Amino acid sequence: MGYLYQGKCLDTVQQLHEFVAAECPVVSGNFSLQCTPSAVQVDIVATDLSTSATFASVLTPSLIPCEVSLVNQTGFMWELALILTAGFAVRATIKAFQ
């Protein structure tokens, strides 16, 4: 089971938190933001640019489960069938020229 984030199915909670932290803006309004992912949450430290005061907060993203969809499985099966067909075609061509 994975976790859905912006249309992507991520394998672990840690990966989810890393993706969320990567989208943290460097500057938001009058604040400088630093987002640090962990296995449990995303820690956010905001620094007021005018007073240099810092504020800490925690973000715990929603864990939306996702599974490999039937569409992905069907696409994989077609790719596998094409690879096998190409392999047999190459083998038949080699045997024909022997």
Side-chain angles (χ1 to χ4, degrees):
M1 179 178 82
Y3 301 98
L4 185 65
Y5 181 70
Q6 293 188 347
K8 295 179 184 176
C9 192
L10 305 170
D11 292 333
T12 64
V13 175
Q14 177 72 32
Q15 278 185 328
L16 171 68
H17 292 169
E18 288 170 1
F19 270 79
V20 171
E23 293 192 358
C24 180
V26 177
V27 176
S28 178
N30 197 34
F31 290 92
S32 170
L33 300 177
Q34 181 181 9
C35 299
T36 308
S38 71
V40 180
Q41 63 200 15
V42 177
D43 297 316
I44 302 172
V45 176
T47 305
D48 189 331
L49 297 174
S50 59
T51 64
S52 297
T54 59
F55 307 94
S57 63
V58 172
L59 172 65
T60 306
S62 300
L63 300 178
I64 303 169
C66 62
E67 299 291 337
V68 176
S69 70
L70 182 60
V71 173
N72 290 342
Q73 290 176 1
T74 304
F76 173 74
M77 292 300 176
W78 275 111
E79 290 172 3
L80 182 60
L82 289 173
I83 290 169
L84 291 173
T85 303
F88 284 119
V90 168
R91 183 176 176 212
T93 304
I94 291 171
K95 281 192 173 190
F97 287 108
Q98 285 182 345

Tab-separated table of all heavy atoms in Angstrom, residues 28-77:
chain	number	residue	atom	x	y	z
A	28	SER	N	7.496	33.259	2.293
A	28	SER	CA	6.050	33.402	2.194
A	28	SER	C	5.656	34.678	2.920
A	28	SER	O	5.733	34.748	4.148
A	28	SER	CB	5.358	32.186	2.801
A	28	SER	OG	3.954	32.343	2.745
A	29	GLY	N	5.272	35.685	2.168
A	29	GLY	CA	4.948	36.961	2.780
A	29	GLY	C	6.187	37.574	3.408
A	29	GLY	O	7.209	37.765	2.758
A	30	ASN	N	6.125	37.835	4.702
A	30	ASN	CA	7.240	38.435	5.429
A	30	ASN	C	8.005	37.375	6.221
A	30	ASN	O	8.734	37.697	7.149
A	30	ASN	CB	6.705	39.535	6.363
A	30	ASN	CG	7.800	40.458	6.835
A	30	ASN	OD1	8.747	40.733	6.102
A	30	ASN	ND2	7.689	40.930	8.066
A	31	PHE	N	7.823	36.116	5.883
A	31	PHE	CA	8.445	35.033	6.633
A	31	PHE	C	9.346	34.182	5.728
A	31	PHE	O	9.019	33.917	4.577
A	31	PHE	CB	7.386	34.114	7.253
A	31	PHE	CG	6.630	34.766	8.371
A	31	PHE	CD1	5.447	35.437	8.119
A	31	PHE	CD2	7.107	34.709	9.663
A	31	PHE	CE1	4.747	36.035	9.151
A	31	PHE	CE2	6.415	35.298	10.697
A	31	PHE	CZ	5.236	35.972	10.443
A	32	SER	N	10.444	33.741	6.292
A	32	SER	CA	11.317	32.757	5.663
A	32	SER	C	10.941	31.405	6.271
A	32	SER	O	10.878	31.274	7.488
A	32	SER	CB	12.777	33.090	5.962
A	32	SER	OG	13.613	32.035	5.558
A	33	LEU	N	10.691	30.411	5.414
A	33	LEU	CA	10.236	29.106	5.896
A	33	LEU	C	11.297	28.038	5.675
A	33	LEU	O	11.980	28.029	4.656
A	33	LEU	CB	8.951	28.685	5.175
A	33	LEU	CG	7.748	29.602	5.333
A	33	LEU	CD1	6.591	29.081	4.498
A	33	LEU	CD2	7.342	29.718	6.779
A	34	GLN	N	11.409	27.148	6.638
A	34	GLN	CA	12.266	25.983	6.508
A	34	GLN	C	11.445	24.766	6.930
A	34	GLN	O	11.001	24.673	8.070
A	34	GLN	CB	13.507	26.096	7.381
A	34	GLN	CG	14.425	24.906	7.244
A	34	GLN	CD	15.661	25.006	8.125
A	34	GLN	OE1	15.758	25.889	8.968
A	34	GLN	NE2	16.576	24.100	7.928
A	35	CYS	N	11.276	23.833	5.983
A	35	CYS	CA	10.482	22.631	6.244
A	35	CYS	C	11.412	21.419	6.284
A	35	CYS	O	12.197	21.207	5.366
A	35	CYS	CB	9.436	22.448	5.163
A	35	CYS	SG	8.264	23.817	5.065
A	36	THR	N	11.294	20.629	7.347
A	36	THR	CA	12.146	19.461	7.533
A	36	THR	C	11.268	18.224	7.695
A	36	THR	O	10.486	18.141	8.645
A	36	THR	CB	13.035	19.633	8.783
A	36	THR	OG1	13.717	20.885	8.692
A	36	THR	CG2	14.030	18.510	8.897
A	37	PRO	N	11.392	17.256	6.752
A	37	PRO	CA	10.570	16.050	6.860
A	37	PRO	C	11.148	15.053	7.855
A	37	PRO	O	12.350	14.999	8.080
A	37	PRO	CB	10.622	15.469	5.449
A	37	PRO	CG	11.943	15.913	4.922
A	37	PRO	CD	12.200	17.263	5.535
A	38	SER	N	10.263	14.290	8.467
A	38	SER	CA	10.670	13.165	9.308
A	38	SER	C	9.688	12.029	9.036
A	38	SER	O	8.768	12.183	8.241
A	38	SER	CB	10.657	13.545	10.794
A	38	SER	OG	9.338	13.704	11.249
A	39	ALA	N	9.856	10.921	9.695
A	39	ALA	CA	8.965	9.782	9.484
A	39	ALA	C	7.587	10.013	10.089
A	39	ALA	O	6.634	9.324	9.759
A	39	ALA	CB	9.583	8.516	10.069
A	40	VAL	N	7.479	11.006	10.977
A	40	VAL	CA	6.232	11.235	11.693
A	40	VAL	C	5.483	12.470	11.204
A	40	VAL	O	4.260	12.490	11.152
A	40	VAL	CB	6.521	11.374	13.207
A	40	VAL	CG1	5.254	11.622	13.990
A	40	VAL	CG2	7.241	10.149	13.722
A	41	GLN	N	6.225	13.521	10.799
A	41	GLN	CA	5.608	14.806	10.481
A	41	GLN	C	6.558	15.652	9.649
A	41	GLN	O	7.679	15.246	9.366
A	41	GLN	CB	5.272	15.546	11.769
A	41	GLN	CG	6.525	15.869	12.570
A	41	GLN	CD	6.252	16.143	14.027
A	41	GLN	OE1	5.180	15.823	14.512
A	41	GLN	NE2	7.206	16.726	14.718
A	42	VAL	N	6.097	16.851	9.306
A	42	VAL	CA	6.952	17.848	8.660
A	42	VAL	C	7.064	19.012	9.636
A	42	VAL	O	6.058	19.623	10.007
A	42	VAL	CB	6.362	18.321	7.315
A	42	VAL	CG1	7.233	19.406	6.700
A	42	VAL	CG2	6.190	17.162	6.356
A	43	ASP	N	8.284	19.292	10.080
A	43	ASP	CA	8.530	20.398	10.999
A	43	ASP	C	8.740	21.673	10.188
A	43	ASP	O	9.520	21.690	9.233
A	43	ASP	CB	9.761	20.134	11.868
A	43	ASP	CG	9.577	18.912	12.754
A	43	ASP	OD1	8.491	18.783	13.350
A	43	ASP	OD2	10.512	18.091	12.846
A	44	ILE	N	8.051	22.736	10.587
A	44	ILE	CA	8.143	24.008	9.878
A	44	ILE	C	8.648	25.067	10.853
A	44	ILE	O	8.090	25.242	11.936
A	44	ILE	CB	6.776	24.438	9.312
A	44	ILE	CG1	6.244	23.355	8.367
A	44	ILE	CG2	6.899	25.772	8.593
A	44	ILE	CD1	4.826	23.590	7.911
A	45	VAL	N	9.715	25.758	10.454
A	45	VAL	CA	10.241	26.871	11.239
A	45	VAL	C	10.102	28.120	10.381
A	45	VAL	O	10.666	28.202	9.287
A	45	VAL	CB	11.721	26.647	11.634
A	45	VAL	CG1	12.258	27.860	12.367
A	45	VAL	CG2	11.859	25.399	12.485
A	46	ALA	N	9.320	29.074	10.868
A	46	ALA	CA	9.103	30.334	10.166
A	46	ALA	C	9.888	31.430	10.886
A	46	ALA	O	9.797	31.561	12.102
A	46	ALA	CB	7.614	30.666	10.138
A	47	THR	N	10.649	32.200	10.120
A	47	THR	CA	11.422	33.302	10.680
A	47	THR	C	10.888	34.603	10.106
A	47	THR	O	10.849	34.777	8.884
A	47	THR	CB	12.920	33.153	10.327
A	47	THR	OG1	13.367	31.876	10.773
A	47	THR	CG2	13.747	34.233	10.976
A	48	ASP	N	10.458	35.496	10.990
A	48	ASP	CA	9.979	36.804	10.564
A	48	ASP	C	11.173	37.598	10.057
A	48	ASP	O	12.154	37.802	10.776
A	48	ASP	CB	9.319	37.525	11.738
A	48	ASP	CG	8.597	38.790	11.322
A	48	ASP	OD1	9.008	39.416	10.327
A	48	ASP	OD2	7.624	39.153	11.997
A	49	LEU	N	11.101	38.044	8.808
A	49	LEU	CA	12.232	38.724	8.195
A	49	LEU	C	12.499	40.101	8.793
A	49	LEU	O	13.634	40.580	8.770
A	49	LEU	CB	12.023	38.836	6.680
A	49	LEU	CG	11.954	37.504	5.937
A	49	LEU	CD1	11.606	37.723	4.477
A	49	LEU	CD2	13.260	36.746	6.071
A	50	SER	N	11.489	40.735	9.365
A	50	SER	CA	11.689	42.076	9.920
A	50	SER	C	12.178	42.038	11.368
A	50	SER	O	12.953	42.898	11.779
A	50	SER	CB	10.406	42.898	9.819
A	50	SER	OG	9.367	42.254	10.518
A	51	THR	N	11.766	41.052	12.148
A	51	THR	CA	12.152	41.011	13.568
A	51	THR	C	13.086	39.853	13.910
A	51	THR	O	13.579	39.786	15.027
A	51	THR	CB	10.896	40.883	14.455
A	51	THR	OG1	10.266	39.629	14.186
A	51	THR	CG2	9.938	42.035	14.228
A	52	SER	N	13.294	38.953	13.003
A	52	SER	CA	14.112	37.746	13.201
A	52	SER	C	13.553	36.803	14.262
A	52	SER	O	14.255	35.924	14.749
A	52	SER	CB	15.560	38.109	13.552
A	52	SER	OG	16.150	38.803	12.478
A	53	ALA	N	12.289	36.974	14.610
A	53	ALA	CA	11.636	36.057	15.553
A	53	ALA	C	11.300	34.756	14.820
A	53	ALA	O	10.930	34.766	13.646
A	53	ALA	CB	10.367	36.691	16.116
A	54	THR	N	11.445	33.630	15.515
A	54	THR	CA	11.153	32.339	14.897
A	54	THR	C	9.927	31.705	15.548
A	54	THR	O	9.680	31.871	16.749
A	54	THR	CB	12.348	31.378	15.014
A	54	THR	OG1	12.645	31.188	16.387
A	54	THR	CG2	13.564	31.912	14.288
A	55	PHE	N	9.192	31.012	14.723
A	55	PHE	CA	7.993	30.311	15.162
A	55	PHE	C	8.051	28.891	14.614
A	55	PHE	O	8.343	28.696	13.439
A	55	PHE	CB	6.728	31.005	14.644
A	55	PHE	CG	6.667	32.465	14.969
A	55	PHE	CD1	7.124	33.414	14.054
A	55	PHE	CD2	6.176	32.895	16.180
A	55	PHE	CE1	7.077	34.764	14.345
A	55	PHE	CE2	6.126	34.247	16.487
A	55	PHE	CZ	6.577	35.176	15.572
A	56	ALA	N	7.796	27.911	15.442
A	56	ALA	CA	7.827	26.516	15.019
A	56	ALA	C	6.409	25.967	14.965
A	56	ALA	O	5.562	26.298	15.797
A	56	ALA	CB	8.665	25.684	15.988
A	57	SER	N	6.168	25.150	13.976
A	57	SER	CA	4.881	24.468	13.881
A	57	SER	C	5.111	23.099	13.241
A	57	SER	O	6.185	22.794	12.735
A	57	SER	CB	3.869	25.282	13.073
A	57	SER	OG	4.315	25.435	11.752
A	58	VAL	N	4.078	22.283	13.281
A	58	VAL	CA	4.156	20.913	12.784
A	58	VAL	C	3.030	20.699	11.792
A	58	VAL	O	1.896	21.127	12.006
A	58	VAL	CB	4.026	19.916	13.956
A	58	VAL	CG1	3.916	18.502	13.454
A	58	VAL	CG2	5.205	20.062	14.897
A	59	LEU	N	3.361	20.040	10.696
A	59	LEU	CA	2.361	19.670	9.699
A	59	LEU	C	2.346	18.158	9.586
A	59	LEU	O	3.388	17.529	9.384
A	59	LEU	CB	2.705	20.288	8.341
A	59	LEU	CG	1.859	19.849	7.153
A	59	LEU	CD1	0.414	20.306	7.328
A	59	LEU	CD2	2.433	20.373	5.869
A	60	THR	N	1.170	17.568	9.755
A	60	THR	CA	1.012	16.129	9.577
A	60	THR	C	0.075	15.922	8.391
A	60	THR	O	-1.144	16.060	8.526
A	60	THR	CB	0.434	15.470	10.842
A	60	THR	OG1	1.255	15.819	11.950
A	60	THR	CG2	0.393	13.968	10.699
A	61	PRO	N	0.637	15.624	7.202
A	61	PRO	CA	-0.205	15.450	6.014
A	61	PRO	C	-1.169	14.274	6.169
A	61	PRO	O	-0.873	13.304	6.864
A	61	PRO	CB	0.799	15.165	4.894
A	61	PRO	CG	2.110	15.629	5.407
A	61	PRO	CD	2.050	15.476	6.892
A	62	SER	N	-2.297	14.388	5.507
A	62	SER	CA	-3.277	13.299	5.504
A	62	SER	C	-2.703	12.093	4.792
A	62	SER	O	-2.070	12.217	3.743
A	62	SER	CB	-4.554	13.731	4.791
A	62	SER	OG	-5.120	14.837	5.438
A	63	LEU	N	-2.922	10.918	5.365
A	63	LEU	CA	-2.448	9.671	4.766
A	63	LEU	C	-3.576	9.061	3.949
A	63	LEU	O	-4.424	8.346	4.472
A	63	LEU	CB	-1.972	8.705	5.846
A	63	LEU	CG	-0.828	9.202	6.725
A	63	LEU	CD1	-0.496	8.170	7.789
A	63	LEU	CD2	0.390	9.537	5.897
A	64	ILE	N	-3.585	9.374	2.661
A	64	ILE	CA	-4.614	8.865	1.764
A	64	ILE	C	-4.057	7.612	1.099
A	64	ILE	O	-3.088	7.680	0.343
A	64	ILE	CB	-4.983	9.914	0.702
A	64	ILE	CG1	-5.441	11.206	1.391
A	64	ILE	CG2	-6.040	9.370	-0.240
A	64	ILE	CD1	-5.568	12.378	0.453
A	65	PRO	N	-4.625	6.450	1.393
A	65	PRO	CA	-4.080	5.209	0.829
A	65	PRO	C	-4.312	5.122	-0.677
A	65	PRO	O	-5.298	5.644	-1.196
A	65	PRO	CB	-4.834	4.108	1.571
A	65	PRO	CG	-6.079	4.747	2.044
A	65	PRO	CD	-5.782	6.205	2.242
A	66	CYS	N	-3.385	4.487	-1.361
A	66	CYS	CA	-3.560	4.238	-2.796
A	66	CYS	C	-2.962	2.880	-3.126
A	66	CYS	O	-2.061	2.392	-2.454
A	66	CYS	CB	-2.918	5.337	-3.643
A	66	CYS	SG	-1.146	5.512	-3.442
A	67	GLU	N	-3.494	2.269	-4.144
A	67	GLU	CA	-3.046	0.958	-4.613
A	67	GLU	C	-2.724	1.071	-6.094
A	67	GLU	O	-3.124	2.013	-6.761
A	67	GLU	CB	-4.164	-0.086	-4.405
A	67	GLU	CG	-4.574	-0.274	-2.974
A	67	GLU	CD	-3.503	-0.949	-2.109
A	67	GLU	OE1	-2.647	-1.651	-2.664
A	67	GLU	OE2	-3.535	-0.756	-0.894
A	68	VAL	N	-2.045	0.082	-6.621
A	68	VAL	CA	-1.791	0.037	-8.057
A	68	VAL	C	-3.144	-0.145	-8.737
A	68	VAL	O	-3.899	-1.051	-8.403
A	68	VAL	CB	-0.852	-1.125	-8.406
A	68	VAL	CG1	-0.663	-1.226	-9.903
A	68	VAL	CG2	0.483	-0.934	-7.708
A	69	SER	N	-3.438	0.741	-9.664
A	69	SER	CA	-4.762	0.694	-10.294
A	69	SER	C	-4.813	-0.370	-11.386
A	69	SER	O	-3.788	-0.838	-11.890
A	69	SER	CB	-5.116	2.053	-10.886
A	69	SER	OG	-4.299	2.307	-12.007
A	70	LEU	N	-6.012	-0.737	-11.761
A	70	LEU	CA	-6.221	-1.720	-12.822
A	70	LEU	C	-5.658	-1.201	-14.131
A	70	LEU	O	-5.123	-1.963	-14.929
A	70	LEU	CB	-7.715	-2.039	-12.963
A	70	LEU	CG	-8.082	-3.096	-13.997
A	70	LEU	CD1	-7.409	-4.423	-13.636
A	70	LEU	CD2	-9.587	-3.264	-14.062
A	71	VAL	N	-5.741	0.112	-14.366
A	71	VAL	CA	-5.205	0.697	-15.592
A	71	VAL	C	-3.699	0.465	-15.662
A	71	VAL	O	-3.156	0.081	-16.697
A	71	VAL	CB	-5.525	2.210	-15.651
A	71	VAL	CG1	-4.833	2.868	-16.828
A	71	VAL	CG2	-7.020	2.424	-15.734
A	72	ASN	N	-2.982	0.681	-14.545
A	72	ASN	CA	-1.542	0.460	-14.527
A	72	ASN	C	-1.210	-1.007	-14.765
A	72	ASN	O	-0.250	-1.323	-15.459
A	72	ASN	CB	-0.942	0.910	-13.196
A	72	ASN	CG	-0.971	2.407	-13.034
A	72	ASN	OD1	-1.125	3.145	-14.010
A	72	ASN	ND2	-0.837	2.870	-11.808
A	73	GLN	N	-1.979	-1.906	-14.186
A	73	GLN	CA	-1.744	-3.336	-14.376
A	73	GLN	C	-1.980	-3.730	-15.821
A	73	GLN	O	-1.217	-4.508	-16.394
A	73	GLN	CB	-2.645	-4.145	-13.446
A	73	GLN	CG	-2.276	-4.029	-11.994
A	73	GLN	CD	-3.254	-4.764	-11.088
A	73	GLN	OE1	-4.197	-5.382	-11.549
A	73	GLN	NE2	-3.027	-4.683	-9.793
A	74	THR	N	-3.035	-3.196	-16.443
A	74	THR	CA	-3.336	-3.509	-17.838
A	74	THR	C	-2.222	-2.997	-18.747
A	74	THR	O	-1.785	-3.700	-19.657
A	74	THR	CB	-4.692	-2.890	-18.248
A	74	THR	OG1	-5.693	-3.367	-17.355
A	74	THR	CG2	-5.053	-3.251	-19.673
A	75	GLY	N	-1.749	-1.781	-18.492
A	75	GLY	CA	-0.641	-1.234	-19.282
A	75	GLY	C	0.605	-2.081	-19.156
A	75	GLY	O	1.301	-2.343	-20.149
A	76	PHE	N	0.890	-2.553	-17.958
A	76	PHE	CA	2.050	-3.413	-17.731
A	76	PHE	C	1.915	-4.711	-18.510
A	76	PHE	O	2.878	-5.197	-19.112
A	76	PHE	CB	2.219	-3.689	-16.237
A	76	PHE	CG	3.279	-4.704	-15.941
A	76	PHE	CD1	4.623	-4.380	-16.065
A	76	PHE	CD2	2.940	-5.994	-15.564
A	76	PHE	CE1	5.603	-5.320	-15.806
A	76	PHE	CE2	3.910	-6.941	-15.298
A	76	PHE	CZ	5.254	-6.602	-15.421
A	77	MET	N	0.723	-5.299	-18.496
A	77	MET	CA	0.507	-6.552	-19.212
A	77	MET	C	0.708	-6.374	-20.716
A	77	MET	O	1.280	-7.240	-21.379
A	77	MET	CB	-0.890	-7.110	-18.927
A	77	MET	CG	-1.069	-7.573	-17.509
A	77	MET	SD	0.109	-8.883	-17.104
A	77	MET	CE	-0.252	-9.124	-15.401
